[in-house]
Amino acid sequence: MMNMMVPSSSSTFHSSTIAEAPLKLAVLGAGFAGLSVVWNLLQHTSKHSRICIDIYDEVGIGGGASGISGGLLHPYSPKAKLLWKGAECWKESLNLLNIAERANVSKDPSVELETQNLVWRRGILRPVTNTKNSDILKENSQDFLESCRLISIDKYGAQKLVPGICAPLDSAIYMPQAVNVHPPRYLQALFKACKTLVNDLAALGYDTKEINLLQKSVNSLLELAGEYNAVIVCLGAKADIVQELSGKIPLRTCRGVVAHLQLPRGILGKEYGNHSPSILSDAWLAIQGPRNLVLGSTWDWDSRNYSPHVSASETSKAVDELIPKASAVYPSVVKWDFTGARAGVRSMPPLTPNGSIPLLGCVDDIVFHDSGNNLNHRHSSTTKYWLFGGLGARGLLYHGWLGKLMAQAVLSRDESLLPSELTSWRKSRH
């Protein structure tokens, strides 16, 4: 049996309300946000508490934008400034990665190690490419977390890390503790960890937890009214498709295409180093082995094309845009073959004094606002509606900590447990 941490009755998320009656929850979306919420709902309720979680996602685990993201995880902005709540987010993201890795261990000797990799711990390198950021990067390279340092190096140091790397201004920032995650494998493993936690509790005699994956979409939140104690919307950009939320959430959409590249077998001695870091620049290179990498990403603002499939014309346009940017810092990329492309729509939050941070909160007022004939329905329904959205391009960093906060708020039915920065968007609507 896997060494999973079993919830205790002393959990800070425990409440007498939960212990007295079964709690039924719906989580819409099986990406970074949705699965983090599911894990935390399970992990932080008493082992005696009866809880059933239905996960709704028409394409399954990691089928949306989360599954095609680059997977480069670090807590800093391009200007080497620590992102909003970067320390808390970094810690919780690493915690979830460790949980997923433990759940992903296969005892089958026929399974190749490379196909099991969820995380590559080889750091991230950011070459300095323009004079505007050069002084800022050097000045702030000392503002680091102990668990994720920034190191300013010259071009020779960069070339030792990545042979053939080009540092246009002869300097780079190296983040040795930053990691590269394989998002689809990670999300599948995190879902497996949730199921294992449920099974482990049942094996101990606590048959109190249940999770179900329902591969179907929810077009109206009111369809679920009365069936669940709470509905948590974690649909990313697709939250705007939900009838009651459409046009009422201040999110921007941005479709991004990523390209998968492979080094041809005939080219020997040019493999990417086993310990060389991934590269963060105008186009990022997420290294997934000596002969495989993911290159991204494009930015098509206001797109409503949610299909992961990329047309021939869109592929050509994306490759023509990404390869020159990548080759400016890693010239050898032009020798790699294009093997395919995938796309996803990011859910981008509005700009605030704290930067672009996600949107969380109870959305009962939005769901029932100007509903007319639903006024009585609002007062009679026991269902509360919550939103966890706007993760943007930082979903992997934000999902762990914010998923924990959202679980706490949902279980306590108390929005005030969420930081005001995350809920202030609701006030600006009025």
Side-chain angles (χ1 to χ4, degrees), residues 174-329:
Y174 177 43
M175 296 172 273
Q177 287 105 340
V179 300
N180 177 22
V181 179
H182 192 289
R185 293 178 193 164
Y186 163 62
L187 290 168
Q188 289 288 346
L190 186 55
F191 180 59
K192 182 179 179 181
C194 292
K195 293 192 295 182
T196 301
L197 179 57
V198 171
N199 294 335
D200 285 354
L201 283 169
L204 293 173
Y206 299 100
D207 194 12
T208 55
K209 307 286 188 278
E210 178 184 348
I211 58 171
N212 305 296
L213 175 62
L214 307 175
Q215 287 195 239
K216 61 181 182 179
S217 59
V218 175
N219 299 315
S220 171
L221 296 179
L222 293 179
E223 294 176 1
L224 305 178
E227 184 177 353
Y228 296 97
N229 298 89
V231 176
I232 308 110
V233 180
C234 305
L235 292 170
K238 286 189 176 181
D240 193 57
I241 296 177
V242 178
Q243 179 180 322
E244 293 83 3
L245 302 181
S246 182
K248 300 176 183 178
I249 307 172
L251 294 174
R252 302 167 292 161
T253 58
C254 182
R255 180 174 168 87
V257 176
V258 302
H260 292 256
L261 305 181
Q262 188 174 74
L263 186 66
R265 289 294 177 185
I267 300 180
L268 302 176
K270 297 295 183 180
E271 294 86 355
Y272 207 89
N274 286 329
H275 302 290
S276 294
S278 291
I279 301 172
L280 187 62
S281 189
D282 292 337
W284 45 259
L285 293 91
I287 310 304
Q288 297 185 347
R291 292 180 171 271
N292 293 282
L293 64 83
V294 182
L295 171 64
S297 164
T298 60
W299 294 76
D300 182 9
W301 288 98
D302 300 322
S303 174
R304 289 295 193 275
N305 179 5
Y306 297 104
S307 172
H309 303 293
V310 185
S311 67
S313 60
E314 188 179 20
T315 295
S316 178
K317 180 180 177 181
V319 171
D320 288 346
E321 176 184 336
L322 294 172
I323 291 295
K325 291 179 179 179
S327 63
V329 295

Side-chain angles (χ1 to χ4, degrees), residues 25 77 106 111 134 144 187 194 203 210 296 312 320 412:
L25 307 173
S77 73
S106 174
V111 178
S134 178
F144 55 77
L187 290 168
C194 292
E210 178 184 348
D320 288 346
S412 302

Side-chain angles (χ1 to χ4, degrees), residues 80 136-144 149-152 173:
I136 297 176
L137 284 164
K138 291 178 180 178
E139 177 184 349
N140 292 292
S141 63
Q142 299 305 311
D143 295 335
F144 55 77
R149 293 174 292 135
L150 297 180
I151 302 174
S152 181
I173 294 294

